[in-house]
Amino acid sequence: MGRRRRRRRVDPADAARALPEAIAALSQTLPAGPSPETFRRAKFDRPEAAPALWRLLFRVLSPQLADGASASFSPEAQVRSVKLALRTQGYPRRALAQLPDDGSQGGRELLLALAWLLARGPLPERLLTQNRVQLGDEMPVCECEALASPGPPAPSVEADGCVDIRHLQWLMGKLRFRWRNLMASQQEQCALLGKIHSYTRGCHSDRSLGHLSVTETELLRDPEGGRQLLRRLERENARLQAALEWRRRELVFWRWMVGGRGPQWSAARTALREAVGQDLAALRQACERGGGCSLAQPHGPHRLVRTEAGAPGGPGLRAPEVIEALRSQEARLEVVLRQLQGQCRQELARLVGAPPGPVWILPPGR
Amino acid sequence: MDTAFTLLAGSSRRLVAELRDALDSCAERQRQLERSLRVSRRLLRAWEPAETLAPEPTPGPETNEEAPSAACIPSPQDLKELELLTQALEKAVRVRKGISKAGEGNKAPSLKSGSIATSPATRASYPPSTSHRAGSRASETKPPRGILQTRVPTKDLPERRLLSVGDQACMGQGAGATKPKSGLRNEQIVLSAASQAPEAFTLKDKGILLQLPEAFRKAASRNSRLWAQLSSTQTSDSVDAATTAKTQFLQKMQTTSGWPGPRLSATEVEAEVRHLQKACLLLRLRMGEELTAVVEQQLGPWPEGRFPRASLPCGGGADPIWSPQLLLYSSTQELQTLAALRLRVAMLHQQIHLEKVLMAELLPLVSKQEPLGPPWLALCRAVHSLLCEGGQRFLTILREDKPAD
C-alpha cells in the first residue's frame, strides 16, 4: 500500500498557500467559479457562501446553457434543477435533497456535492470540451456522439389517445424526405468547404494546416466577429491554463476534503478497494479504447485539412481510411437491417397463416 | 374499416414519440447545416466592405509591433488597394532590373483576373518617377509582420493617389504566384481611404492574399498547445495520489450518505449497461465470431421507460477529452463521399432502432386481432409495409371471395 504513496516534506508556508492556490485554479477553470474565500466559508457552512455555490453547481450541471442564460432561471429554479441533476447522477447523500429551495443554506453540503462531481470524472476538462471554441471545420469520424444522446422521454399520458397507423406511415415518409434533404445540403456544404479551402491555400501560419477554415476566413471578413472570437479564445486559454494548474495542485484539495480517516477504515480494506477500483478502471479504459480489436476506430471530431494532390501530408487521419471504415460499417448495418426485416416477414407470414390463406404478392424490385 | 388502422393508445404514443424524436434529430442536423451553408455561401460571394475601415493617422510606420487585432484586419477595399500597390511595386522592381514586359500591350485591365498569375500584361508607359518612389519604398521593407496594417501617414497622401491613378491604367502582372504574397506581407502598406476600389473582394480571386492577425495566431497556437497538454496529463505520480484520495473521498461520501444501503442512479445503470455491451461485443470479436449482425439482435430489447439507442463499439469513453486531430482529404469528391457515408451510417442506425421499436409494438398487435377478417388484412398490409419495406412499398393481397350464400 505504501508503494504508491509519496510522503513529502512540506514547508509550512508552502502548505498554507497550496490550498488556496489549488482552489483558485479550480475556481478559474470552472464557469462561474467563486473565490477561494467563498469555498472556505462553505466548508464552515456559512450561509453567505450558499448562493454562490448553488449558482456554480447550476452552471456545472447544465453546461449546454449559453453563458448568460443562467440569469433567466430564478434561484429557486436553479436549486431545484441542481437537486434533480444530482439525484439523477446518483448523488449518495440525503442531506442535499433536504436543503431549502430558496438557496439560503447548504454551503457545506454543496461543497461536498462539487467535490463528489470532481472525484467521479474529469469535470473541468469535460466542461471545457463541451463548450470549446472551434477554429477549424470539423467532422466527426464516428457516430458515437449522436448515438449517445438519450432517446425520447417516456411519453406522458396524453389526451391524444389512439393513432392511425397511416399517420405512422406518413411520419416515416416525412423522415425519408428529411434525410434526402440532409444529404443534399451536406453535399453542397462539402463543395463549398472544398472551394474555401482551395482558395485560401498557403494562408495559414501553421504549415500542417495550410489553408484557412471557414471560421478563420470569416473572422477576416467580419472584423467585429473576429474580435469576439479572439476574446472567446483568450478566455478559453485562461481556463485551460487553470485546468492544468488544478491538475497539478488538486491533491492538497482532496486531502482537505477527506480530512482524517474515520475509525471504521482499515488499511487493508482501503488497499483492496483501491486495487479493485484500479483494475475496473483499467478494464473500462481497455474496453473503451477498443483494445486491439479490428473494429477500433478513431473517434471524435477532426479538423478538415485539404492537401494538395500528390503531397504526402503530415500527421492525421486520411480520408480514404475513414471512408473504408465507414463503408464496412454501412455494409454491416445494412445486413442487420435486412435481417430484421426478414424476421418480420417470416413472423407476419406465420401470423397470417399458411395457404389456403390469402395470397401475398410482395412488391417488386428487391 | 377505419378502426382496423387504429392502434392501441400505449403503443401509438411510444411509436409517435420515437418517430418524432427521429424527425427532430434530423431537423436539428439540418438546422446546423443550414447555418454553416449560410456562412460558407456568404464567404464565397463578394465581401461587403467592412463598416469600420481602419485607417488611423499615425506618425510613422513603426508605431507598434503587436498591433491590436482590431486594426489589423483589413477591409476588402484595403486589400484591393493593397493589391494595386503591390502590382505597381512589382512592376517597378522589374523595370529597375531591366526585365520588361513592356512590349506586350494592355489587354483588358481589370481586377477580375482569376489569379494573379494569369492577369493580363502591363502597358509600357510606366512613369519612371513613380517607379523611383516605388523602388525606394520597396527598400523600406520591414521584417515580416504578418498582417496587413492599414495606417495612413498623411504626408504620403498625394503620392498615394498618384500611384493609384497610375495603376488603374497599367494593371500589373505579378511576377509569380509567390512574389505578390510576400510583397503584401513584408511591407508596411499605407493606404488611402479616399480612393475608390473598383471591385469588391472575392475569395476566389484574392483568397491567397489573406493572412490571420498576429494576436489571433498566437492565441490559436497557445490554445492548441494547451489542449494537447491537457489531454496528456493523465498519468503521473501526483495523479495516482490524487486518484487514491478521490477514491477515499467517494467511499466516505457513500458511507455517510444517510440512505440505507447502496443506490444506483438511472445514469449509472445506463452507463454500466453500455460498458457491458461493449465488453460483450469485444469479447465476441476476440473469439472471432461474426460481427454486429448477430450480437445486436442477441442483446435483447430494452425495458420500458427510457429508450436508449444501440451502442457502438467505438473507441470512446463516456467523457473523452478533446485534443487537436486532423482529417486530411485530397479532393472535394473525397470529402463528399466521406460525408455522405457518415450520414448513411447515421441513418442506418436510426432505421435499425426504429425497426426494433416498430417490431416490438406492431407485431403483438397483429397477433392479437381477429385473424382473416378484411380489417385485419388491411392492418397486416400496413404493418408489413412499415416493418419489411421501410414504409415505402406495399404488397398486394389476393383473397378468394367466399361465394355468396
Side-chain angles (χ1 to χ4, degrees), chain A residues 26-360:
Chain A
L26 178 64
S27 155
Q28 206 192 354
T29 185
L30 293 175
S35 66
E37 181 56 27
T38 308
F39 278 88
R40 198 186 67 83
R41 291 199 181 133
K43 185 156 203 213
F44 294 109
D45 218 5
R46 303 290 295 276
E48 61 266 24
L53 283 177
W54 281 116
R55 279 195 299 274
L56 170 63
L57 280 172
F58 181 71
R59 282 300 303 276
V60 158
L61 289 164
S62 17
Q64 69 278 9
L65 289 180
D67 270 342
S70 313
S72 62
F73 287 78
S74 72
E76 287 79 16
Q78 293 192 15
V79 166
R80 278 195 296 273
S81 166
V82 166
K83 286 184 181 180
L84 178 61
L86 283 171
R87 188 165 71 238
T88 310
Q89 293 206 25
Y91 185 67
R93 288 172 57 90
R94 204 188 231 164
L96 182 86
Q98 293 165 344
L99 291 172
D101 276 3
D102 62 6
S104 59
Q105 293 175 38
R108 185 179 162 78
E109 189 62 34
L110 295 173
L111 186 58
L112 286 175
L114 177 67
W116 182 79
L117 289 169
L118 284 167
R120 279 157 57 88
L123 181 64
E125 288 88 341
R126 207 184 319 135
L127 291 172
L128 283 164
T129 299
Q130 279 168 347
N131 291 322
R132 90 194 140 80
V133 175
Q134 285 194 19
L135 296 177
D137 299 314
E138 293 186 358
M139 182 170 286
V141 296
C142 63
E143 278 294 303
C144 259
E145 232 180 81
L147 287 171
S149 64
S156 55
V157 180
E158 284 160 6
D160 271 350
C162 303
V163 157
D164 193 321
I165 197 173
R166 290 170 292 190
H167 181 60
L168 294 181
Q169 286 169 337
W170 179 75
L171 287 174
M172 292 278 274
K174 198 169 166 184
L175 189 58
R176 260 198 318 281
F177 180 69
R178 285 203 182 166
W179 276 108
R180 272 206 297 275
N181 273 355
L182 208 48
M183 279 284 188
S185 302
Q186 172 81 275
Q187 296 294 85
E188 186 191 347
Q189 172 64 356
C190 288
L192 298 183
L193 276 182
K195 282 188 181 162
I196 291 171
H197 294 172
S198 282
Y199 296 164
T200 60
R201 66 192 173 284
C203 294
H204 209 294
S205 47
D206 183 342
R207 286 282 154 261
S208 68
L209 297 175
H211 58 75
L212 303 180
S213 69
V214 164
T215 306
E216 289 160 341
T217 314
E218 178 68 8
L219 84 84
L220 290 173
R221 186 196 70 85
D222 171 23
E224 179 54 40
R227 283 190 282 275
Q228 288 176 9
L229 180 67
L230 181 61
R231 279 196 290 272
R232 278 181 61 209
L233 198 54
E234 285 168 346
R235 277 201 297 274
E236 179 173 287
N237 285 351
R239 284 181 61 193
L240 286 169
Q241 185 71 53
L244 286 167
E245 285 295 314
W246 163 248
R247 287 291 160 219
R248 278 201 282 274
R249 298 168 193 269
E250 64 172 321
L251 182 56
V252 64
F253 172 82
W254 293 114
R255 293 204 170 129
W256 181 58
M257 290 304 299
V258 173
R261 258 193 248 145
Q264 72 272 26
W265 288 65
S266 75
R269 193 165 150 200
T270 313
L272 186 61
R273 282 176 196 266
E274 273 177 36
V276 171
Q278 279 159 16
D279 285 341
L280 279 177
L283 181 62
R284 185 166 298 171
Q285 274 194 345
C287 283
E288 287 167 1
R289 272 198 301 271
C293 128
S294 63
L295 207 53
Q297 93 179 38
H299 167 76
H302 285 56
R303 175 170 177 154
L304 288 170
V305 171
R306 188 182 182 113
T307 58
E308 297 311 308
L317 271 185
R318 301 294 194 270
E321 295 162 16
V322 182
I323 289 175
E324 263 320 296
L326 286 171
R327 275 205 222 280
S328 48
Q329 258 199 314
E330 179 193 26
R332 267 199 309 275
L333 290 170
E334 279 173 349
V335 165
V336 173
L337 185 60
R338 269 197 274 284
Q339 282 186 340
L340 287 173
Q341 289 176 334
Q343 279 182 5
C344 291
R345 221 167 271 124
Q346 286 174 9
E347 183 63 17
L348 281 172
R350 190 187 66 81
L351 288 169
V352 168
V359 176
W360 291 46

Side-chain angles (χ1 to χ4, degrees), chain B residues 295-360:
Chain B
V295 173
E296 283 220 17
Q297 294 184 39
Q298 293 186 357
L299 287 177
W302 276 94
E304 288 298 315
R306 294 271 290 182
F307 315 134
R309 305 284 164 81
S311 67
L312 243 199
C314 198
D319 29 26
I321 298 172
W322 184 79
S323 67
Q325 290 167 297
L326 302 181
L327 173 55
L328 276 56
Y329 74 98
S330 57
S331 72
T332 300
Q333 191 182 10
E334 200 173 65
L335 184 60
Q336 282 174 321
T337 305
L338 200 156
L341 275 171
R342 248 196 67 234
L343 273 188
R344 181 119 176 91
V345 166
M347 188 177 77
L348 281 166
H349 277 299
Q350 193 187 71
Q351 279 180 307
I352 289 172
H353 172 72
L354 286 173
E355 183 74 14
K356 289 179 189 168
V357 170
L358 286 168
M359 281 167 76

